[in-house]
Amino acid sequence: MKNFEFYNPTRIIFGEGTIARLRDQIPQDATVLLCYGGGSIKNNGVYDQVLTTLSSWEMIEFGGIEANPDYDTLMKAILLGREKGVDFILAVGGGSVIDGAKLVAAGIPYTAGEVWDIVTQDVKVILGEALPLGTVLTLPATGTEMNGNSVISRRATEEKLAWVSEAAFPVFSILDPTTTYTLPAKQVRNGIVDAYVHVMEQYATYPVDARIQDRQAEGILLTLQEIGEKALEVPPDYDTRANFMWAATNALNKLICQGVPEDWATHDIGHELTAFYGLDHAETLAVVMPHLLWHQREKKADKLVQYAQRVWGLTGEGEPLIREALDNMIDFFNRIGMPTKLTDYQIDPDQAAARIQARFASRGSRMGEHKAITSDLVAEILRMSR
Ligand code: NZQ
Ligand code: ZN
């Protein structure tokens, strides 16, 4: 196992009826900027619950943070926050709202330069420099409710970049599984696949005898496989949604990655597919990961065999065993309604390969746990997605 230092300061308040706990989590004298998305929280009663709970707090609202939150939108929130003297950020929604609110929390006090420099990581935000952020999560998927990551899109330049900071951890996150009851099937499917791929990015590398991390990762994968189809059922089942929500948080709260190598090439490539073609985040992951793992099967052989045996209960050996496990993954994604080929979206794999290869080549990007996936290999992987 590699050396590691684990830090996670986010308080999780989990379960039905916990939105009322906002009252003891936000200082009474705070001026709160309430950030939300396109209106789902107004249709499902979450907005009303938040406003009723915080009726005696000074609240400024900023709605309209879009899926794949846009830098220009967030700059409007930052200017509003500065103007109103906001000192606490409350994000209510899915990953996009929370990721966007993280930039708002860091951007309001940052006046020394362009806020975009935070996203490119030319400027590092350190602990204590961002405003405190609390969240009410309504879409299990990204893990952003319990991590220090934020992914920001800039449509004007077709960019989508992730920034990471200890200052971006929420101080608390409220996870009430009943808030997920209004999710469309597509978003449930997206959440399951995103969480599944998060685990694989931290697991399907090479062994370092990290038994706790491996078994925790396998436990999350098995849970997602078990509940995947049930999570899509209507009416929703509370325990299924609770397990889904907690699985997604654990998939990316930075516990299973401690002391082990990580890949993240599927995410790096996926972000480009969203930037260029507008696919949902999870859709991009499903059209890349099965092909990337097969392409990298020699370097990842030991962990892929372990995946086949422990997560799918398969016997056999070598490449046929790995192929069978990856076919099972594809079958699982397809069963919950998630396509696994670029051609399923009428995207030409050759064109996508050329565009994304050029971008990675210009950045000199090298990806994967060995930093061995060059822009040329990314193109090979994308051409397999047909
Ligand atoms: O905008 P509203 O009206 O709220 O609707 C949203 C949005 O249209 C809707 N929704 C959310 N909760 C709902 C609901 N609809 C009905 N009922 C509810 N309870 O769902 C739609 C999608 O929301 P979004 O927040 O975009 O989805 P998700 O949580 O999947 O977040 C995706 C973003 O997170 C980034 C992605 O790249 C993408 O930008 N990621 C962030 C990560 C992180 N911070 O650690 C890691 C991930 O790998 C990912 O990259
Ligand atoms: Zn993801």
Side-chain angles (χ1 to χ4, degrees), residues 280-327:
D280 287 355
H281 172 63
E283 291 174 337
T284 70
L285 305 176
V287 299
V288 173
M289 175 152 268
H291 314 293
L292 182 142
L293 292 178
W294 182 241
H295 187 275
Q296 293 291 302
R297 63 191 177 279
E298 283 177 19
K299 291 197 170 70
K300 293 176 181 290
D302 291 339
K303 289 304 283 287
L304 289 176
V305 165
Q306 185 177 316
Y307 168 68
Q309 292 169 338
R310 293 200 198 166
V311 178
W312 291 108
L314 300 174
T315 53
E317 54 190 48
E319 288 203 353
L321 176 66
I322 292 173
R323 187 64 259 167
E324 195 180 349
L326 296 181
D327 286 343

mmCIF file of all heavy atoms in Angstrom, residues 280-327:
data_model
loop_
_atom_site.group_PDB
_atom_site.id
_atom_site.type_symbol
_atom_site.label_atom_id
_atom_site.label_comp_id
_atom_site.label_asym_id
_atom_site.label_seq_id
_atom_site.Cartn_x
_atom_site.Cartn_y
_atom_site.Cartn_z
ATOM 1 N N ASP A 280 -24.443 13.836 -21.777
ATOM 2 C CA ASP A 280 -24.431 13.874 -20.310
ATOM 3 C C ASP A 280 -23.123 13.250 -19.816
ATOM 4 O O ASP A 280 -22.570 12.348 -20.463
ATOM 5 C CB ASP A 280 -25.589 13.043 -19.738
ATOM 6 C CG ASP A 280 -26.937 13.723 -19.924
ATOM 7 O OD1 ASP A 280 -26.974 14.868 -20.408
ATOM 8 O OD2 ASP A 280 -27.957 13.081 -19.580
ATOM 9 N N HIS A 281 -22.688 13.688 -18.637
ATOM 10 C CA HIS A 281 -21.416 13.188 -18.092
ATOM 11 C C HIS A 281 -21.371 11.653 -18.061
ATOM 12 O O HIS A 281 -20.425 11.032 -18.559
ATOM 13 C CB HIS A 281 -21.226 13.767 -16.688
ATOM 14 C CG HIS A 281 -20.071 13.182 -15.958
ATOM 15 N ND1 HIS A 281 -18.773 13.316 -16.402
ATOM 16 C CD2 HIS A 281 -19.999 12.424 -14.822
ATOM 17 C CE1 HIS A 281 -17.960 12.685 -15.568
ATOM 18 N NE2 HIS A 281 -18.685 12.138 -14.606
ATOM 19 N N ALA A 282 -22.403 11.031 -17.495
ATOM 20 C CA ALA A 282 -22.376 9.566 -17.364
ATOM 21 C C ALA A 282 -22.435 8.876 -18.735
ATOM 22 O O ALA A 282 -21.856 7.800 -18.919
ATOM 23 C CB ALA A 282 -23.541 9.096 -16.488
ATOM 24 N N GLU A 283 -23.128 9.509 -19.676
ATOM 25 C CA GLU A 283 -23.182 8.923 -21.031
ATOM 26 C C GLU A 283 -21.787 8.827 -21.633
ATOM 27 O O GLU A 283 -21.442 7.846 -22.297
ATOM 28 C CB GLU A 283 -24.094 9.772 -21.924
ATOM 29 C CG GLU A 283 -25.563 9.693 -21.537
ATOM 30 C CD GLU A 283 -26.459 10.651 -22.328
ATOM 31 O OE1 GLU A 283 -25.958 11.675 -22.856
ATOM 32 O OE2 GLU A 283 -27.671 10.386 -22.396
ATOM 33 N N THR A 284 -20.973 9.858 -21.377
ATOM 34 C CA THR A 284 -19.611 9.833 -21.938
ATOM 35 C C THR A 284 -18.786 8.708 -21.314
ATOM 36 O O THR A 284 -17.979 8.077 -21.985
ATOM 37 C CB THR A 284 -18.863 11.165 -21.687
ATOM 38 O OG1 THR A 284 -18.555 11.303 -20.289
ATOM 39 C CG2 THR A 284 -19.647 12.364 -22.166
ATOM 40 N N LEU A 285 -19.012 8.470 -20.025
ATOM 41 C CA LEU A 285 -18.204 7.453 -19.331
ATOM 42 C C LEU A 285 -18.506 6.063 -19.886
ATOM 43 O O LEU A 285 -17.607 5.240 -20.077
ATOM 44 C CB LEU A 285 -18.498 7.487 -17.831
ATOM 45 C CG LEU A 285 -18.313 8.849 -17.144
ATOM 46 C CD1 LEU A 285 -18.728 8.759 -15.677
ATOM 47 C CD2 LEU A 285 -16.876 9.351 -17.263
ATOM 48 N N ALA A 286 -19.800 5.816 -20.150
ATOM 49 C CA ALA A 286 -20.207 4.480 -20.607
ATOM 50 C C ALA A 286 -19.749 4.183 -22.030
ATOM 51 O O ALA A 286 -19.614 3.014 -22.399
ATOM 52 C CB ALA A 286 -21.731 4.340 -20.494
ATOM 53 N N VAL A 287 -19.507 5.217 -22.836
ATOM 54 C CA VAL A 287 -19.015 4.947 -24.196
ATOM 55 C C VAL A 287 -17.488 4.868 -24.232
ATOM 56 O O VAL A 287 -16.915 4.561 -25.275
ATOM 57 C CB VAL A 287 -19.511 5.987 -25.251
ATOM 58 C CG1 VAL A 287 -21.030 5.969 -25.345
ATOM 59 C CG2 VAL A 287 -18.977 7.391 -24.954
ATOM 60 N N VAL A 288 -16.847 5.145 -23.107
ATOM 61 C CA VAL A 288 -15.379 5.075 -23.073
ATOM 62 C C VAL A 288 -14.885 3.893 -22.231
ATOM 63 O O VAL A 288 -14.048 3.102 -22.682
ATOM 64 C CB VAL A 288 -14.773 6.391 -22.511
ATOM 65 C CG1 VAL A 288 -13.269 6.258 -22.316
ATOM 66 C CG2 VAL A 288 -15.089 7.569 -23.432
ATOM 67 N N MET A 289 -15.415 3.748 -21.008
ATOM 68 C CA MET A 289 -14.772 2.821 -20.060
ATOM 69 C C MET A 289 -14.629 1.376 -20.548
ATOM 70 O O MET A 289 -13.526 0.812 -20.449
ATOM 71 C CB MET A 289 -15.492 2.844 -18.709
ATOM 72 C CG MET A 289 -14.899 1.802 -17.755
ATOM 73 S SD MET A 289 -15.041 2.202 -16.019
ATOM 74 C CE MET A 289 -13.489 3.062 -15.737
ATOM 75 N N PRO A 290 -15.674 0.731 -21.068
ATOM 76 C CA PRO A 290 -15.484 -0.682 -21.449
ATOM 77 C C PRO A 290 -14.399 -0.849 -22.514
ATOM 78 O O PRO A 290 -13.664 -1.839 -22.500
ATOM 79 C CB PRO A 290 -16.857 -1.087 -22.010
ATOM 80 C CG PRO A 290 -17.821 -0.070 -21.515
ATOM 81 C CD PRO A 290 -17.043 1.200 -21.330
ATOM 82 N N HIS A 291 -14.281 0.135 -23.403
ATOM 83 C CA HIS A 291 -13.284 0.053 -24.480
ATOM 84 C C HIS A 291 -11.890 0.351 -23.941
ATOM 85 O O HIS A 291 -10.915 -0.284 -24.318
ATOM 86 C CB HIS A 291 -13.678 1.018 -25.608
ATOM 87 C CG HIS A 291 -15.142 0.894 -25.955
ATOM 88 N ND1 HIS A 291 -15.665 -0.239 -26.523
ATOM 89 C CD2 HIS A 291 -16.197 1.730 -25.749
ATOM 90 C CE1 HIS A 291 -16.979 -0.091 -26.665
ATOM 91 N NE2 HIS A 291 -17.323 1.100 -26.200
ATOM 92 N N LEU A 292 -11.821 1.330 -23.043
ATOM 93 C CA LEU A 292 -10.525 1.678 -22.446
ATOM 94 C C LEU A 292 -9.973 0.503 -21.633
ATOM 95 O O LEU A 292 -8.784 0.175 -21.732
ATOM 96 C CB LEU A 292 -10.679 2.921 -21.571
ATOM 97 C CG LEU A 292 -9.390 3.427 -20.922
ATOM 98 C CD1 LEU A 292 -9.370 4.959 -20.924
ATOM 99 C CD2 LEU A 292 -9.182 2.932 -19.499
ATOM 100 N N LEU A 293 -10.842 -0.147 -20.862
ATOM 101 C CA LEU A 293 -10.354 -1.266 -20.038
ATOM 102 C C LEU A 293 -9.880 -2.421 -20.916
ATOM 103 O O LEU A 293 -8.883 -3.085 -20.598
ATOM 104 C CB LEU A 293 -11.450 -1.724 -19.068
ATOM 105 C CG LEU A 293 -11.823 -0.725 -17.962
ATOM 106 C CD1 LEU A 293 -12.957 -1.278 -17.105
ATOM 107 C CD2 LEU A 293 -10.615 -0.384 -17.081
ATOM 108 N N TRP A 294 -10.573 -2.659 -22.028
ATOM 109 C CA TRP A 294 -10.144 -3.735 -22.931
ATOM 110 C C TRP A 294 -8.819 -3.346 -23.604
ATOM 111 O O TRP A 294 -7.893 -4.156 -23.691
ATOM 112 C CB TRP A 294 -11.245 -4.022 -23.962
ATOM 113 C CG TRP A 294 -10.923 -5.149 -24.902
ATOM 114 C CD1 TRP A 294 -10.801 -5.087 -26.256
ATOM 115 C CD2 TRP A 294 -10.678 -6.532 -24.552
ATOM 116 N NE1 TRP A 294 -10.495 -6.315 -26.777
ATOM 117 C CE2 TRP A 294 -10.418 -7.231 -25.751
ATOM 118 C CE3 TRP A 294 -10.648 -7.247 -23.348
ATOM 119 C CZ2 TRP A 294 -10.123 -8.601 -25.790
ATOM 120 C CZ3 TRP A 294 -10.359 -8.624 -23.382
ATOM 121 C CH2 TRP A 294 -10.113 -9.275 -24.585
ATOM 122 N N HIS A 295 -8.718 -2.088 -24.013
ATOM 123 C CA HIS A 295 -7.496 -1.598 -24.650
ATOM 124 C C HIS A 295 -6.300 -1.715 -23.690
ATOM 125 O O HIS A 295 -5.186 -2.046 -24.097
ATOM 126 C CB HIS A 295 -7.712 -0.126 -25.058
ATOM 127 C CG HIS A 295 -6.606 0.465 -25.872
ATOM 128 N ND1 HIS A 295 -5.470 1.010 -25.303
ATOM 129 C CD2 HIS A 295 -6.438 0.600 -27.212
ATOM 130 C CE1 HIS A 295 -4.665 1.454 -26.249
ATOM 131 N NE2 HIS A 295 -5.230 1.226 -27.424
ATOM 132 N N GLN A 296 -6.541 -1.501 -22.416
ATOM 133 C CA GLN A 296 -5.471 -1.485 -21.400
ATOM 134 C C GLN A 296 -5.384 -2.821 -20.638
ATOM 135 O O GLN A 296 -4.834 -2.870 -19.539
ATOM 136 C CB GLN A 296 -5.746 -0.357 -20.396
ATOM 137 C CG GLN A 296 -5.629 1.041 -20.994
ATOM 138 C CD GLN A 296 -4.192 1.365 -21.348
ATOM 139 O OE1 GLN A 296 -3.301 1.341 -20.520
ATOM 140 N NE2 GLN A 296 -3.960 1.637 -22.637
ATOM 141 N N ARG A 297 -5.957 -3.880 -21.215
ATOM 142 C CA ARG A 297 -6.119 -5.131 -20.462
ATOM 143 C C ARG A 297 -4.797 -5.752 -20.012
ATOM 144 O O ARG A 297 -4.757 -6.435 -18.991
ATOM 145 C CB ARG A 297 -6.940 -6.144 -21.256
ATOM 146 C CG ARG A 297 -6.315 -6.587 -22.569
ATOM 147 C CD ARG A 297 -7.327 -7.368 -23.401
ATOM 148 N NE ARG A 297 -6.817 -7.755 -24.701
ATOM 149 C CZ ARG A 297 -6.774 -6.952 -25.774
ATOM 150 N NH1 ARG A 297 -7.212 -5.718 -25.673
ATOM 151 N NH2 ARG A 297 -6.309 -7.393 -26.925
ATOM 152 N N GLU A 298 -3.710 -5.514 -20.733
ATOM 153 C CA GLU A 298 -2.444 -6.126 -20.301
ATOM 154 C C GLU A 298 -1.932 -5.448 -19.033
ATOM 155 O O GLU A 298 -1.571 -6.110 -18.061
ATOM 156 C CB GLU A 298 -1.394 -6.026 -21.405
ATOM 157 C CG GLU A 298 -1.642 -7.060 -22.481
ATOM 158 C CD GLU A 298 -0.658 -6.958 -23.629
ATOM 159 O OE1 GLU A 298 0.414 -6.348 -23.452
ATOM 160 O OE2 GLU A 298 -0.983 -7.490 -24.701
ATOM 161 N N LYS A 299 -1.936 -4.116 -19.028
ATOM 162 C CA LYS A 299 -1.435 -3.379 -17.854
ATOM 163 C C LYS A 299 -2.338 -3.576 -16.632
ATOM 164 O O LYS A 299 -1.888 -3.506 -15.499
ATOM 165 C CB LYS A 299 -1.351 -1.877 -18.158
ATOM 166 C CG LYS A 299 -0.261 -1.538 -19.158
ATOM 167 C CD LYS A 299 0.064 -0.051 -19.102
ATOM 168 C CE LYS A 299 1.299 0.284 -19.889
ATOM 169 N NZ LYS A 299 1.104 0.149 -21.338
ATOM 170 N N LYS A 300 -3.635 -3.776 -16.878
ATOM 171 C CA LYS A 300 -4.598 -3.865 -15.780
ATOM 172 C C LYS A 300 -5.013 -5.310 -15.481
ATOM 173 O O LYS A 300 -5.980 -5.530 -14.742
ATOM 174 C CB LYS A 300 -5.857 -3.067 -16.145
ATOM 175 C CG LYS A 300 -5.648 -1.561 -16.249
ATOM 176 C CD LYS A 300 -6.940 -0.882 -16.712
ATOM 177 C CE LYS A 300 -6.805 0.615 -16.870
ATOM 178 N NZ LYS A 300 -6.652 1.351 -15.617
ATOM 179 N N ALA A 301 -4.289 -6.295 -16.059
ATOM 180 C CA ALA A 301 -4.771 -7.679 -16.041
ATOM 181 C C ALA A 301 -5.090 -8.188 -14.633
ATOM 182 O O ALA A 301 -6.155 -8.783 -14.409
ATOM 183 C CB ALA A 301 -3.745 -8.581 -16.712
ATOM 184 N N ASP A 302 -4.195 -7.948 -13.684
ATOM 185 C CA ASP A 302 -4.409 -8.539 -12.347
ATOM 186 C C ASP A 302 -5.710 -8.044 -11.718
ATOM 187 O O ASP A 302 -6.487 -8.825 -11.163
ATOM 188 C CB ASP A 302 -3.237 -8.195 -11.419
ATOM 189 C CG ASP A 302 -1.962 -8.916 -11.836
ATOM 190 O OD1 ASP A 302 -2.067 -9.937 -12.542
ATOM 191 O OD2 ASP A 302 -0.870 -8.433 -11.476
ATOM 192 N N LYS A 303 -5.943 -6.726 -11.814
ATOM 193 C CA LYS A 303 -7.148 -6.186 -11.180
ATOM 194 C C LYS A 303 -8.405 -6.540 -11.970
ATOM 195 O O LYS A 303 -9.472 -6.718 -11.383
ATOM 196 C CB LYS A 303 -7.043 -4.665 -10.997
ATOM 197 C CG LYS A 303 -6.055 -4.217 -9.941
ATOM 198 C CD LYS A 303 -6.293 -4.794 -8.543
ATOM 199 C CE LYS A 303 -7.412 -4.186 -7.751
ATOM 200 N NZ LYS A 303 -7.138 -2.842 -7.235
ATOM 201 N N LEU A 304 -8.286 -6.653 -13.283
ATOM 202 C CA LEU A 304 -9.472 -7.028 -14.062
ATOM 203 C C LEU A 304 -9.863 -8.488 -13.795
ATOM 204 O O LEU A 304 -11.053 -8.824 -13.751
ATOM 205 C CB LEU A 304 -9.239 -6.781 -15.557
ATOM 206 C CG LEU A 304 -9.201 -5.297 -15.958
ATOM 207 C CD1 LEU A 304 -8.856 -5.137 -17.439
ATOM 208 C CD2 LEU A 304 -10.533 -4.596 -15.651
ATOM 209 N N VAL A 305 -8.878 -9.343 -13.574
ATOM 210 C CA VAL A 305 -9.190 -10.732 -13.204
ATOM 211 C C VAL A 305 -9.857 -10.754 -11.828
ATOM 212 O O VAL A 305 -10.863 -11.443 -11.613
ATOM 213 C CB VAL A 305 -7.901 -11.595 -13.237
ATOM 214 C CG1 VAL A 305 -8.118 -12.920 -12.517
ATOM 215 C CG2 VAL A 305 -7.459 -11.831 -14.683
ATOM 216 N N GLN A 306 -9.323 -9.946 -10.898
ATOM 217 C CA GLN A 306 -9.938 -9.867 -9.560
ATOM 218 C C GLN A 306 -11.379 -9.351 -9.648
ATOM 219 O O GLN A 306 -12.282 -9.843 -8.964
ATOM 220 C CB GLN A 306 -9.090 -8.942 -8.676
ATOM 221 C CG GLN A 306 -9.549 -8.857 -7.233
ATOM 222 C CD GLN A 306 -8.616 -7.990 -6.402
ATOM 223 O OE1 GLN A 306 -7.398 -8.096 -6.515
ATOM 224 N NE2 GLN A 306 -9.185 -7.132 -5.567
ATOM 225 N N TYR A 307 -11.574 -8.358 -10.514
ATOM 226 C CA TYR A 307 -12.925 -7.811 -10.754
ATOM 227 C C TYR A 307 -13.859 -8.915 -11.274
ATOM 228 O O TYR A 307 -14.976 -9.089 -10.779
ATOM 229 C CB TYR A 307 -12.803 -6.662 -11.766
ATOM 230 C CG TYR A 307 -14.090 -6.133 -12.362
ATOM 231 C CD1 TYR A 307 -15.017 -5.446 -11.585
ATOM 232 C CD2 TYR A 307 -14.358 -6.294 -13.732
ATOM 233 C CE1 TYR A 307 -16.186 -4.925 -12.155
ATOM 234 C CE2 TYR A 307 -15.514 -5.782 -14.306
ATOM 235 C CZ TYR A 307 -16.432 -5.095 -13.511
ATOM 236 O OH TYR A 307 -17.581 -4.591 -14.074
ATOM 237 N N ALA A 308 -13.372 -9.674 -12.238
ATOM 238 C CA ALA A 308 -14.196 -10.749 -12.825
ATOM 239 C C ALA A 308 -14.577 -11.770 -11.754
ATOM 240 O O ALA A 308 -15.736 -12.198 -11.667
ATOM 241 C CB ALA A 308 -13.428 -11.430 -13.955
ATOM 242 N N GLN A 309 -13.606 -12.122 -10.937
ATOM 243 C CA GLN A 309 -13.859 -13.181 -9.953
ATOM 244 C C GLN A 309 -14.716 -12.689 -8.789
ATOM 245 O O GLN A 309 -15.682 -13.345 -8.403
ATOM 246 C CB GLN A 309 -12.512 -13.698 -9.412
ATOM 247 C CG GLN A 309 -11.729 -14.446 -10.475
ATOM 248 C CD GLN A 309 -10.291 -14.749 -10.060
ATOM 249 O OE1 GLN A 309 -9.733 -14.080 -9.177
ATOM 250 N NE2 GLN A 309 -9.682 -15.743 -10.688
ATOM 251 N N ARG A 310 -14.358 -11.533 -8.236
ATOM 252 C CA ARG A 310 -15.031 -11.121 -6.999
ATOM 253 C C ARG A 310 -16.317 -10.351 -7.236
ATOM 254 O O ARG A 310 -17.232 -10.395 -6.418
ATOM 255 C CB ARG A 310 -14.089 -10.244 -6.167
ATOM 256 C CG ARG A 310 -12.887 -10.992 -5.638
ATOM 257 C CD ARG A 310 -12.354 -10.187 -4.470
ATOM 258 N NE ARG A 310 -10.994 -10.548 -4.133
ATOM 259 C CZ ARG A 310 -10.223 -9.801 -3.333
ATOM 260 N NH1 ARG A 310 -10.686 -8.667 -2.847
ATOM 261 N NH2 ARG A 310 -9.008 -10.177 -3.034
ATOM 262 N N VAL A 311 -16.382 -9.595 -8.328
ATOM 263 C CA VAL A 311 -17.575 -8.762 -8.540
ATOM 264 C C VAL A 311 -18.603 -9.496 -9.407
ATOM 265 O O VAL A 311 -19.804 -9.328 -9.230
ATOM 266 C CB VAL A 311 -17.181 -7.396 -9.148
ATOM 267 C CG1 VAL A 311 -18.402 -6.537 -9.414
ATOM 268 C CG2 VAL A 311 -16.231 -6.670 -8.205
ATOM 269 N N TRP A 312 -18.121 -10.345 -10.321
ATOM 270 C CA TRP A 312 -19.070 -11.072 -11.173
ATOM 271 C C TRP A 312 -19.120 -12.571 -10.864
ATOM 272 O O TRP A 312 -19.885 -13.298 -11.496
ATOM 273 C CB TRP A 312 -18.757 -10.833 -12.656
ATOM 274 C CG TRP A 312 -19.063 -9.416 -13.070
ATOM 275 C CD1 TRP A 312 -18.164 -8.433 -13.352
ATOM 276 C CD2 TRP A 312 -20.362 -8.823 -13.225
ATOM 277 N NE1 TRP A 312 -18.812 -7.251 -13.671
ATOM 278 C CE2 TRP A 312 -20.171 -7.467 -13.594
ATOM 279 C CE3 TRP A 312 -21.673 -9.291 -13.073
ATOM 280 C CZ2 TRP A 312 -21.215 -6.575 -13.824
ATOM 281 C CZ3 TRP A 312 -22.722 -8.418 -13.302
ATOM 282 C CH2 TRP A 312 -22.492 -7.070 -13.675
ATOM 283 N N GLY A 313 -18.268 -13.028 -9.939
ATOM 284 C CA GLY A 313 -18.271 -14.441 -9.573
ATOM 285 C C GLY A 313 -17.911 -15.360 -10.723
ATOM 286 O O GLY A 313 -18.372 -16.512 -10.788
ATOM 287 N N LEU A 314 -17.063 -14.876 -11.638
ATOM 288 C CA LEU A 314 -16.718 -15.673 -12.812
ATOM 289 C C LEU A 314 -15.509 -16.562 -12.515
ATOM 290 O O LEU A 314 -14.680 -16.241 -11.679
ATOM 291 C CB LEU A 314 -16.391 -14.757 -13.992
ATOM 292 C CG LEU A 314 -17.517 -13.817 -14.456
ATOM 293 C CD1 LEU A 314 -17.002 -12.860 -15.530
ATOM 294 C CD2 LEU A 314 -18.703 -14.617 -14.970
ATOM 295 N N THR A 315 -15.444 -17.673 -13.229
ATOM 296 C CA THR A 315 -14.246 -18.515 -13.167
ATOM 297 C C THR A 315 -13.622 -18.500 -14.552
ATOM 298 O O THR A 315 -14.214 -17.982 -15.494
ATOM 299 C CB THR A 315 -14.605 -19.962 -12.761
ATOM 300 O OG1 THR A 315 -15.631 -20.419 -13.642
ATOM 301 C CG2 THR A 315 -15.092 -20.039 -11.333
ATOM 302 N N GLY A 316 -12.444 -19.065 -14.666
ATOM 303 C CA GLY A 316 -11.746 -19.027 -15.953
ATOM 304 C C GLY A 316 -10.477 -18.235 -15.775
ATOM 305 O O GLY A 316 -10.108 -17.883 -14.644
ATOM 306 N N GLU A 317 -9.813 -17.908 -16.869
ATOM 307 C CA GLU A 317 -8.570 -17.148 -16.719
ATOM 308 C C GLU A 317 -8.235 -16.340 -17.968
ATOM 309 O O GLU A 317 -8.841 -16.526 -19.018
ATOM 310 C CB GLU A 317 -7.409 -18.081 -16.354
ATOM 311 C CG GLU A 317 -7.232 -19.219 -17.313
ATOM 312 C CD GLU A 317 -6.228 -20.246 -16.781
ATOM 313 O OE1 GLU A 317 -6.354 -20.646 -15.592
ATOM 314 O OE2 GLU A 317 -5.335 -20.619 -17.546
ATOM 315 N N GLY A 318 -7.278 -15.444 -17.781
ATOM 316 C CA GLY A 318 -6.709 -14.687 -18.890
ATOM 317 C C GLY A 318 -7.714 -13.803 -19.613
ATOM 318 O O GLY A 318 -8.717 -13.360 -19.047
ATOM 319 N N GLU A 319 -7.398 -13.580 -20.893
ATOM 320 C CA GLU A 319 -8.206 -12.626 -21.673
ATOM 321 C C GLU A 319 -9.675 -13.016 -21.811
ATOM 322 O O GLU A 319 -10.546 -12.145 -21.742
ATOM 323 C CB GLU A 319 -7.581 -12.410 -23.046
ATOM 324 C CG GLU A 319 -6.309 -11.591 -22.961
ATOM 325 C CD GLU A 319 -5.950 -10.889 -24.261
ATOM 326 O OE1 GLU A 319 -6.613 -11.139 -25.293
ATOM 327 O OE2 GLU A 319 -4.994 -10.092 -24.226
ATOM 328 N N PRO A 320 -9.996 -14.309 -22.003
ATOM 329 C CA PRO A 320 -11.434 -14.641 -22.099
ATOM 330 C C PRO A 320 -12.198 -14.259 -20.833
ATOM 331 O O PRO A 320 -13.342 -13.810 -20.899
ATOM 332 C CB PRO A 320 -11.439 -16.161 -22.315
ATOM 333 C CG PRO A 320 -10.080 -16.477 -22.861
ATOM 334 C CD PRO A 320 -9.141 -15.478 -22.239
ATOM 335 N N LEU A 321 -11.549 -14.411 -19.665
ATOM 336 C CA LEU A 321 -12.208 -14.051 -18.400
ATOM 337 C C LEU A 321 -12.437 -12.534 -18.341
ATOM 338 O O LEU A 321 -13.525 -12.065 -17.973
ATOM 339 C CB LEU A 321 -11.330 -14.507 -17.231
ATOM 340 C CG LEU A 321 -11.831 -14.129 -15.830
ATOM 341 C CD1 LEU A 321 -13.137 -14.839 -15.503
ATOM 342 C CD2 LEU A 321 -10.767 -14.463 -14.775
ATOM 343 N N ILE A 322 -11.419 -11.776 -18.725
ATOM 344 C CA ILE A 322 -11.551 -10.306 -18.714
ATOM 345 C C ILE A 322 -12.644 -9.885 -19.695
ATOM 346 O O ILE A 322 -13.485 -9.032 -19.389
ATOM 347 C CB ILE A 322 -10.200 -9.642 -19.065
ATOM 348 C CG1 ILE A 322 -9.191 -9.901 -17.933
ATOM 349 C CG2 ILE A 322 -10.366 -8.138 -19.324
ATOM 350 C CD1 ILE A 322 -7.775 -9.453 -18.222
ATOM 351 N N ARG A 323 -12.651 -10.500 -20.865
ATOM 352 C CA ARG A 323 -13.683 -10.155 -21.871
ATOM 353 C C ARG A 323 -15.080 -10.409 -21.312
ATOM 354 O O ARG A 323 -15.994 -9.598 -21.474
ATOM 355 C CB ARG A 323 -13.430 -10.979 -23.144
ATOM 356 C CG ARG A 323 -14.292 -10.653 -24.374
ATOM 357 C CD ARG A 323 -14.057 -9.246 -24.901
ATOM 358 N NE ARG A 323 -15.124 -8.340 -24.468
ATOM 359 C CZ ARG A 323 -15.071 -7.010 -24.553
ATOM 360 N NH1 ARG A 323 -14.014 -6.393 -25.025
ATOM 361 N NH2 ARG A 323 -16.076 -6.280 -24.145
ATOM 362 N N GLU A 324 -15.227 -11.563 -20.638
ATOM 363 C CA GLU A 324 -16.551 -11.903 -20.095
ATOM 364 C C GLU A 324 -16.982 -10.873 -19.042
ATOM 365 O O GLU A 324 -18.146 -10.442 -19.008
ATOM 366 C CB GLU A 324 -16.506 -13.311 -19.486
ATOM 367 C CG GLU A 324 -17.894 -13.895 -19.236
ATOM 368 C CD GLU A 324 -17.852 -15.306 -18.627
ATOM 369 O OE1 GLU A 324 -16.760 -15.926 -18.580
ATOM 370 O OE2 GLU A 324 -18.930 -15.751 -18.179
ATOM 371 N N ALA A 325 -16.037 -10.460 -18.192
ATOM 372 C CA ALA A 325 -16.373 -9.466 -17.155
ATOM 373 C C ALA A 325 -16.771 -8.128 -17.791
ATOM 374 O O ALA A 325 -17.747 -7.494 -17.362
ATOM 375 C CB ALA A 325 -15.189 -9.263 -16.212
ATOM 376 N N LEU A 326 -16.037 -7.708 -18.817
ATOM 377 C CA LEU A 326 -16.372 -6.427 -19.461
ATOM 378 C C LEU A 326 -17.700 -6.532 -20.210
ATOM 379 O O LEU A 326 -18.473 -5.559 -20.258
ATOM 380 C CB LEU A 326 -15.245 -5.975 -20.389
ATOM 381 C CG LEU A 326 -13.912 -5.664 -19.676
ATOM 382 C CD1 LEU A 326 -12.861 -5.198 -20.678
ATOM 383 C CD2 LEU A 326 -14.099 -4.611 -18.588
ATOM 384 N N ASP A 327 -17.977 -7.718 -20.778
ATOM 385 C CA ASP A 327 -19.297 -7.903 -21.410
ATOM 386 C C ASP A 327 -20.407 -7.817 -20.365
ATOM 387 O O ASP A 327 -21.488 -7.281 -20.632
ATOM 388 C CB ASP A 327 -19.356 -9.240 -22.161
ATOM 389 C CG ASP A 327 -18.555 -9.196 -23.457
ATOM 390 O OD1 ASP A 327 -18.238 -8.083 -23.933
ATOM 391 O OD2 ASP A 327 -18.229 -10.267 -23.991
#
